[in-house]
Structure formats: C-alpha cells, structure tokens
C-alpha cells in the first residue's frame, strides 16, 4: 500500500496491562487528568472522556450523531459505575479499566485492525489502471439513470464510496473525509460543472476525481483504520447451528438488555441494534460502526425484519429476530 501501515493486534495493550509498574503509572496519569475536582473519585461526568475514547477506538461515530451509538457510550459509562452510585474510586477505576483494556485487546487479537497512511500514490496508480476502467463501468451500470441513460455529475461523490482502502482510497462515507478531502477534490476537478454524464463522460470525470483526491493526499497524507478480515457469513452460520450455545447467548444478551427494556419487560425495536452489538463477538462480527460495509449489511438486515417500524418485542420475538438468515443479508 502506498505509505506506511501498522497492525493493531492487541499485543501492545496486553504488554501495558501486564506490566504492573507501567500500568500503575498509566492509571495514575489518567486518573489525575480526569479528576477535575481533585476529590479522589471520578463522577459520571468526569468519566465521559473515557467513554468517548473507547467509542472512538471501536470506530463508533461521535456521541450525539445517532441513538444507537449513544446507547453504547452509555453502556460503557454504566460498566465503569456498575451500580456504585455516581462516582468510583481510583482502585475501582483501575480494575474496570484493566478488564476493559484486556477485552479490547482480545477483540484486536481475533480481528486485527490495520492503520494505514495513504499518501495518494496507490490511488493514482489505480486511477490510471485497466482495473479502474472495468470497475468504473460496473459502477456506472449499477447507478440509477435518467430517461437519456445518463447520471447527474453529483453522483460522482457517491461513486467514490465504491473505491476501497486497499486501492488507496480513504472511506468516502466518513463525514470528516468527505468534508476535508472529497469536497475540495471534487471542486478542484470541476466535477459539479459537468451536468449529466454518459458512460464515457462518467469514466473521465470519475478518474479525474480520484486523481484530484490522490493529489491532495500527496500534500497531506491520510491515516485510516480498517480490518482485513473477510465477513462472509460463515461465522454467523456456525453460531446459529450450535443450538445450545445460541440459546444460552441469546438468553444472556436478553438479560444484559435489562436497562433498555420497558416497564413490562419488552424491548423497543429501536434498541435491537444494541442487542446486535452485544451478540456481535459471538457471531464473529465487528462492533457497530467499525466497518462501513458491514454497517450497510446490518441496515439491510433490519429492513428484512421490519426492525425500523417501531414497536416492542418480547424475549421470544427477540430470539426469532436474531435468527434472521445471514446469507440473505450478505447477498444484498
């Protein structure tokens, strides 16, 4: 890949936690920084930066951007407080932070994350290759066209989301990437002035857009995190076929969803995503927000079971919802 890369497999986190002196110093520094009132305890408000940092490490969108991710941030805060009131001591903070870091390390050990610094050179090579032309024709074919068989030039921005990190492109669906990189690149390429595009015009504008993105990255490289694991549904199928493990996991997940349930013990459908995130490690899936492609698959799977229409589910309905055929989702 054009630029440097670093694999995060959890080994550095485990080395930190397993070194008593270094970990104690790390906790001291963190606790001192967070304890704004200097009373020897951390309140819910003082713990918020920790939850935000963990959410960022998991690839969650910023707090306040979606109800689903906000629930997960609240869960992290709940894990720290664990019914201990509205604050925790340094000893309590140490134990909980240790368990959380080891949990993150175990997750990275199973599904390593690669940090890549994209310098634009690989994207430039791809844009000038025969592979690009083949891919671009495929993208054009899939796009909705007008009666004249053309697409609006504004669709180029959406087309950029089809280019993968492996081809040197940072995730175009990321808001910050779109604002700081894609919009200036499209403006520089003059794409918005092209009007409606036929296939040949689309290929030319699409290539020019990629070359413009590559040029900007040469001036200011972009570092992105992504997983190289292939999610093909096999791990989900294996999980669903083990009846005893499946039922036990679903039961434990239902219990863990207690704080999100209504007074009658049912769960609002809007909280089903929280349940999915709790089930994800057992089914070999990444956390919600970690992999854009998987998030889109999850969105489609929710449409299959009408999970976005509101209402409530009981325990049996929750289990039935969780049994949706993964192959149907992954073929979408």
């Amino acid at each position: 890949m054009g630029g440097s890369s670093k694999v995060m497999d959890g080994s550095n986190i485990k080395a930190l936690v397993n070194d008593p002196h270094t970990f104690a110093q790390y906790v001291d520094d963190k606790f001192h920084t967070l304890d704004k009132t200097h009373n020897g305890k951390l309140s819910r408000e003082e713990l918020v930066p920790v939850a935000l940092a963990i959410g960022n490490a998991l690839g969650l969108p910023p707090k306040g951007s979606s109800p689903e991710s906000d629930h997960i941030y609240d869960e992290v805060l709940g894990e720290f407080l664990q019914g201990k009131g509205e604050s925790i001591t340094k000893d309590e903070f140490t134990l909980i932070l240790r368990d959380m870091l080891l949990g993150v390390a175990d997750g990275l050990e199973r599904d390593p994350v690669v940090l890549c610094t994209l310098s634009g050179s690989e994207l430039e090579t791809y844009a000038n290759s025969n592979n690009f032309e083949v891919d671009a024709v495929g993208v054009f074919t899939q796009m909705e066209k007008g009666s004249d068989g053309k697409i609006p030039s504004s669709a180029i921005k959406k087309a950029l989301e089809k280019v993968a990190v492996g081809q040197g492109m940072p995730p175009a669906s990321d808001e910050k990437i779109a604002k700081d990189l894609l919009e200036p690149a499209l403006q520089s390429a003059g794409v918005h002035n092209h009007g409606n595009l036929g296939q040949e015009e689309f290929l030319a504008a699409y290539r020019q857009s990629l070359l413009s993105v590559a040029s900007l990255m040469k001036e200011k490289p972009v570092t992105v995190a992504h997983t190289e694991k292939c999610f093909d549904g096999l791990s989900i199928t294996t999980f669903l076929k083990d009846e005893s493990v499946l039922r036990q996991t679903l039961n434990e997940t239902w219990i863990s969803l207690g704080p999100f349930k209504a007074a009658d013990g049912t769960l609002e459908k809007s909280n089903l995503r929280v349940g999915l995130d709790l089930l994800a490690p057992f089914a070999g899936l990444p956390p919600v927000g970690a992999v854009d492609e998987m998030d889109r698959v999850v969105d489609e799977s929710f449409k299959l079971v009408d999970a976005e229409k509101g209402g409530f589910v009981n325990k049996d309905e929750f289990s039935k919802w969780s049994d949706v055929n993964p192959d149907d989702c992954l073929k979408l």
Side-chain angles (χ1 to χ4, degrees), residues 133 137 140 149-150 197-207:
E133 293 188 6
V137 170
F140 181 82
K150 296 184 177 183
L197 308 171
Q199 181 171 299
E200 292 302 319
E201 296 166 317
F202 169 77
L203 262 63
Y206 195 15
R207 174 180 280 120

Side-chain angles (χ1 to χ4, degrees), residues 9-11 13-14 99-112:
D9 58 4
S11 57
I13 298 177
K14 288 189 175 182
D99 289 343
M100 282 194 169
L101 288 175
L102 288 176
V104 171
D106 287 341
L108 289 173
E109 189 173 42
R110 291 192 302 270
D111 304 317

Side-chain angles (χ1 to χ4, degrees), residues 112-257:
V113 171
V114 181
L115 286 178
C116 303
T117 300
L118 306 176
S119 63
S121 59
E122 187 166 15
L123 184 61
E124 183 178 60
T125 299
Y126 169 69
N128 288 317
S129 70
N130 291 331
N131 286 338
F132 164 75
E133 293 188 6
V134 174
D135 294 343
V137 170
V139 171
F140 181 82
T141 302
Q142 295 171 14
M143 294 188 126
E144 187 175 344
K145 303 170 187 66
S147 57
D148 58 357
K150 296 184 177 183
I151 63 170
S153 57
S154 59
I156 293 287
K157 184 176 180 181
K158 190 70 177 177
L160 292 176
E161 296 182 10
K162 305 293 185 181
V163 187
V165 172
Q167 293 158 327
M169 180 75 178
S173 58
D174 183 277
E175 291 183 7
K176 183 172 176 57
I177 294 293
K179 178 182 178 182
D180 296 346
L181 181 62
L182 300 189
E183 288 293 349
L186 291 172
Q187 196 71 33
S188 175
V191 169
H192 297 309
N193 302 321
H194 287 333
N196 293 335
L197 308 171
Q199 181 171 299
E200 292 302 319
E201 296 166 317
F202 169 77
L203 262 63
Y206 195 15
R207 174 180 280 120
Q208 184 56 46
S209 298
L210 289 180
L211 291 174
S212 182
V213 171
S215 178
L216 289 178
M217 285 198 296
K218 286 183 177 181
E219 298 174 10
K220 190 175 181 180
V222 177
T223 300
V224 299
H226 74 109
T227 176
E228 294 187 335
K229 183 174 180 178
C230 177
F231 299 102
D232 57 6
L234 292 178
S235 58
I236 310 176
T237 302
T238 302
F239 174 59
L240 293 177
K241 285 181 177 179
D242 193 329
E243 188 71 19
S244 61
V245 172
L246 174 63
R247 293 303 161 194
Q248 181 181 352
T249 305
L250 287 172
N251 184 59
E252 292 175 354
T253 301
W254 180 254
I255 293 173
S256 298
L257 287 167

Side-chain angles (χ1 to χ4, degrees), residues 15 41 85 111 121 152 160 201 230 254 264 277 297 300 308 317:
K41 292 185 178 183
D111 304 317
S121 59
L160 292 176
E201 296 166 317
C230 177
W254 180 254
D264 62 357
D277 211 45
V297 171
E300 292 299 331
E308 307 287 7
E317 291 168 330

